[in-house]
Amino acid sequence: MKRSTTKPPPDIEKWTKEDVHQWLMTQVKVHESCADRFFEEEVSGDDLCHFKKTDIVDLGIKHGPAVKITSYLERLKEGSQHASQFPAYVENWTKEQVNQWLLQHVKTYRKYAERLQEEDVSGDCLVCFKKQDLLDLDVKSGPAVKILAKLHLLNEKPEPTLQPIPHTSTDQQATPKPIKPEESLAKAITIQQADGKISEKKEIQQPKAWDLRTEREETVATATLPDIPKITVAIQRTLDDLLKEDLKLFQFHLLEYTKSKRKPIPRGKLEGKDTMDTAKLLTENYGSNEALQVTLDILEKLPRRDLVCYLKENMGQLKQQCLSKEALKKEANQGDKLKNLLTCGGNSLDNYDRFVVVVNKSSPDQVQNLQFLSKLKLFCVLDFDPESAAKGGLCHSYSESRVANKHTPSQYQGQTETVIKNLNLCKQTSWVFCNGRHDLDSDSNRELDYKNWMRRSCRDVEQLISFICNPEVLVHGRSLIIFLLLSPVDTEKDPIFDTYKCFLKHTEEKNIITICDSQRTYKKWRELIQDKCDYDIDPLSIYELTLSEVNGTVMGLGPFNQSSERLLPSSDFSAVVLKQKDEDLMTALDILCLNQCENIYDENGQEFHDFRIKVEEEFYRGGKVKWWNFYFCEKDTGKPFIKRDKYENVKKMIRSQWTDSKNACVLLNLFHHPGCGGTTLAMHVMWDLRQEFRCAVLKDNTLPKDEVAIQVLKLMQLESEKPSPVLLLVDDSKENKNPYDLVNCIRRAVEDFSNINTDDMPNCKVIILNCVRSHSPKEQYRQDNSSQCQYITASLTSEEQKEFEKKLKELEETHEKPENFYTFMIMKSNFDTDYVDDLSHNTLESFDFSTKEAQLFAFLALLNTYVAESEISLSLSEDFLGMKMIRWREDILMDRMKPYSNLLIIDKDEKLGGYKGIRILHHTIACACLEELERSQYLNVSGIAMEILHCDLFFSVGVVKDRFMQSIQRMLIERQRKKDGDEREPFSPFIEKIHSQQGRQTVQEIFVRASSRFETSASIPQALARYLYINERDFPEALKWAEKAKNIKQNPYTFDTIGQVYKSNLKSNIHREKQEATHNPEDLDTNITLAKDAIKAFKRAQELANTEDEPDEEGRDDESDDYPRKSYNVYGYVGVLDIAFLIIEILGRLPFFEESDPMKKKYLQSFLQKSIPITSVYKDDNEINNRYVEIIKENEPFLLNLKTEVKEMFEVLDCYFMYLKGNNSEFDSKNRWTICGHFKRYVNLFCAAPEGIKNNTNFYLKIDIEERRLFLERNQADTFAGILQHLDKHAEEIERVTECYAFLHQQQQFINKKQKTKETINYILSNIVLHLRKPKSKHVKSYKYLSDLLLKTLQDVGLRYPFPDPYYLALLLLWPSPTQENTEIGTYVTAIRNSSRKHLSKLFHKKGTVAMLYLGKEEGLKRLISKPQLDDNFKRMRRDTLAQLWRNGDIFKDKAIISRLHRVSGTTEQGELFANYGKLKIPVRSALIDGVRTGFSTEKVSFYLGFAINGPLAYDIQHEN
């Protein structure tokens, strides 16, 4: 590298990159590699002036040197020289000595000292540090202040003594007086001479410390001789640093050495020997380990303490590295060792909830023997092989049998819960490419060398590992990390070694095991870890087994159901195999197989017996029912599972709906009291119908309903030409008896399929058995369709009671103390309240709320009473009780919770990687305990709630705590449905209880305290605002809390709450004024002010609903209680209409505007239409009327704008209901009725039949223009959407329309620019439609003319035009083709999305849009093909059948369609879809429900393209693989 040797000029801005390099080397005195980085990145002086510390760190330079360079640079720019404020010896400290000082004198935490050492903070760097520099290294403020204070105190104290730290794992070992590498040779000699320990010979050879790294890297002849032990080399190098006289003295003491049991070396052998021969004699005579000790003892006598320090610090590593070959000999049975490591001494892989695998480069031969990975419950794989996804690679092989979502480390950044959801973690394997992916042809996916990997990828991998090791993600002790080394790791400069070290920062060594493909690979790996991590991995390593032996050993481990065939029922009483990969893809479903639970245990063995006892005990105590419970009873026919009275009814209902119903998806509701066995009954029926239906439980309600529909349809079709009926169990914890979205999605998907396969229609059916938890199941049953619902209550028939008595006797034969199975006993007692009350009274007899255990139990009683499916996590409970985490020992917590533990149970949630939560056994027990606490302990619900809200522990960040906080919020705000209808109670049962017992003050105190805890949640102040304006009519206070909710989160719901407060206030005023029957002008003033504020709030709510993207997941609880999530739609517009007509109603009651008087009503109409001023309205001349006039004048702009406002609202709402696909939700239906009512009033007040204009060619030009505009309006061609409707109308109509627009465009007489733009856009579209309908018409303009006109229009409107119309035209005319590439098309896609979202409301794309035009294979206008043109190919097909083909996308399988449409290539990335034209990537949306699957996998795809008003849509998406 060419570098300047001249002194840098004083003007830094004129420095060349050589000058910068010279300055760094000579003035700053950083290591040459740091200076080289600046040179390589071409940093000149002018560039250097702008550098900050972060910029230097980004170059790959460690934090220590970066701080030093930054400090020197600041002084340089100030024109001053760097001057240290500390003693000179500090600047001479190595990074190891800084570490020693921090640990021995500052007494700081080891992790902080090690952090500084990792970042190369030597003394000369440390003196430049400021507080922020320490904070940037994750040192907390307290220790940071202390470090700097102690550093300043060194000026007042003598030099501290620094003792070497044994077993250091750093690259460079510490010495008492080290020589820094960047110091000059002269300076080194000066220091050595000062110590008086160097001869003339040594003046030309700098003594240097050896370390293990240098020992491997240097090519010294003696170090590379194969027969010389490493300890011999180490001793020789130590002796090399002795002077000639000192070596003689050493040999003299060696002859006299008597501490060993061995005889001293004979004098004759030692005479005249050099350092190598002396070292050989030492190890030969004393052995490797003792030779080290002998050398140390003699060096201390010389004395050479510096060499003693060197040797001591490396002794541990040397002894480990020089273990005899016998230490690596084959263990007696490494197969058993592997089993023990994977199963914790058992026979089943179930001992670990999840496995994490880290793997390096593999060969196709190795991949053949890695099938065992498909058996492990993999959380993720960290793959360092860029060829892994290609054919023959490990990821490709795994993907043949299991699902692997291909990710990058950067995708693991963000909120924990969001990352888990987006990447399908714990549901499907995440395959993370940590150093490139060559099957994707892009520079960003290239493999990096170590240097560039450290700079670009290392940080992302470190964050990935931090995420994996977060106990909120994988429970500590319940997951195992496997390093699978398939290729050698020869140096520490390997990304996989850095990955290992990073894991050690976040987890214990015992949680990591190593499997190596060869002993050679293992030996080097072990040396590296011993050297750098000071840990022997041998007890946790497998290296003698071949990969084939490893594969066979793991495949032989249980549970065996994963390797045996799971079967599903199929047509004609046959069965098919459920493949593991298919099951992986159906993440939402827990599939029940024909042979469920079979062939997993030796059912004659003790293990199976113990397992059965445990599972049955958990269930009868109060745990959730498992398929095992039914299996046990089915195998033991003498002890059947108890059949509830409604068992046969439910079974009959399912079968009758299967045979009789004509619907593709049938919803059957099973209403049940909480805890009365409703879900158990449903699963029992499902178990017994598994021969007739393909059965599954919906286990993940968070997935989009469309995705669930895809999975249900897949289950129906799996492995069979003929479909099979599906029975789907939905266990709905909330009182939602009508999951319409799910039913509609499944029905649509199934109907689409069955209409193509008409012969299979009887079996194309999905029965949804919806378990609805209800407090009034019998009443809900009566309201529902009795043929499609059943109910079960907390009451047993006499026959059921006999069955329970019989079961108790059976349990007494096999279980100890079955009377303690309290949930079973509650049901056996026919839900006897006295039994539950006695149980709670006896358990809580010695209750002491001052103890932590009693408090935790009270918290559970409160939550389990008011929140269904609530629990407190096991780890959070342990933290609350002050317990240390004890690996796998949940029974310890239960022991601690005695005497309450007999009422508690621990549940497990597989969706969160083995999350465990503790709860009370049964809902009735929780309720009884809460009442008992209130009765005997005087502990009311508000007191317990306040205690929870007072505890800081519960309100910090984390998935576990977030679940608990969600339960608290649900308790405060979740409302139940009324018994007599679908409407909900005004407030949650918890709030109703406090209100009835203690009144407003306590309710408000609870909400205020909760609001301070949930500072980022708007739902709490919203709920308080609702309570105050509905229940207390305290509108000012309600407004205050509604405003607070809005300040926390500005979304449609918070602004709507403000509008609702004003609207309620306005209605209350109107009601009062009607009651008083008097006229008070000041009331009018007040009401107009309220109306203005209400309209402002509703408009803002609607504005947010129209422009807001997907509501953030963190805000899921911050919606209005009045509307379900994501359903705000058009409530803001409706709210504006409500207020407008309330004001019109108020005006209609004024003395001179009374609507009951036709003349006065005409005055009101004329005033609002701006026909007459208020002063011209006839009225009695009195003080009241005069004051009314004054108020109206003051508010005249607002009042006169009402009609225009209402008209605009109607137009927007008409557009909303016209553009979108039909929706049958109760909210949209309610809106329609409200709007219709308002429109009737509008027509009644304002509308009259318009007068026509006669068609007379002699009229003035102005009249002629107006007549043509009226023609366009009459023919629904004055709007963009109206012109599109002419695609399937008579060609003559659109020809006349185009002629009119041509005339208007020619005359150029417009009211304003807005009208000109609109009519120009419509003119272009009419030409396109006319070309499609009548291509040879003389009125059709050329493609070039229309494109040029459009480009000019786009220049005029820019990218923020309020309507999507011009951008839609841009898609039609400017979309890329093989001969033409338009780089701006992506911009227009973004513009049309933004514009359609603003103009057509935020839910436009969610309800689905219609693509009327498609991309064909030709050029120009000819490449546009309309939907009606495609329909012409199916003239003989029924219209409803054709519609089904369009809806499910099977239309695109037809040859006629394939021959006309162009197939576009693209990719899916990060869950998004793109059309690719060369390097151009254009975002596209999937049109159908089977588009882009979840998991964020990056794949190559192709599809057909359609153009909708909100952007391009992809149809018939096909994955290349």
Side-chain angles (χ1 to χ4, degrees), residues 940-950 968 971-972 990-991 994-995 997-1014 1020-1021 1023-1025 1027-1028 1032 1037 1040-1041 1044:
N940 54 33
V941 295
S942 63
I944 299 172
M946 287 299 278
E947 198 68 37
I948 293 176
L949 294 170
H950 181 71
I968 299 296
M971 180 177 72
L972 291 167
F990 173 74
I991 294 300
I994 298 175
H995 176 72
Q997 283 187 339
Q998 296 170 280
R1000 168 180 171 169
Q1001 182 176 348
T1002 307
V1003 170
Q1004 193 159 347
E1005 285 174 359
I1006 291 281
F1007 272 127
V1008 170
R1009 182 60 179 157
S1011 179
S1012 68
R1013 279 301 187 188
F1014 300 96
I1020 302 298
L1024 177 54
Y1027 173 80
L1028 292 169
E1032 302 297 323
E1037 187 71 8
K1040 173 184 134 184
W1041 285 99
K1044 180 170 183 179

Side-chain angles (χ1 to χ4, degrees), residues 353-354 377 425-427 908-915:
D353 291 324
R354 298 287 167 186
K377 290 182 287 188
L425 302 181
C426 300
K427 297 178 187 175
K908 183 176 178 180
D909 188 348
E910 291 290 351
K911 287 184 293 183
L912 281 175
Y915 165 90

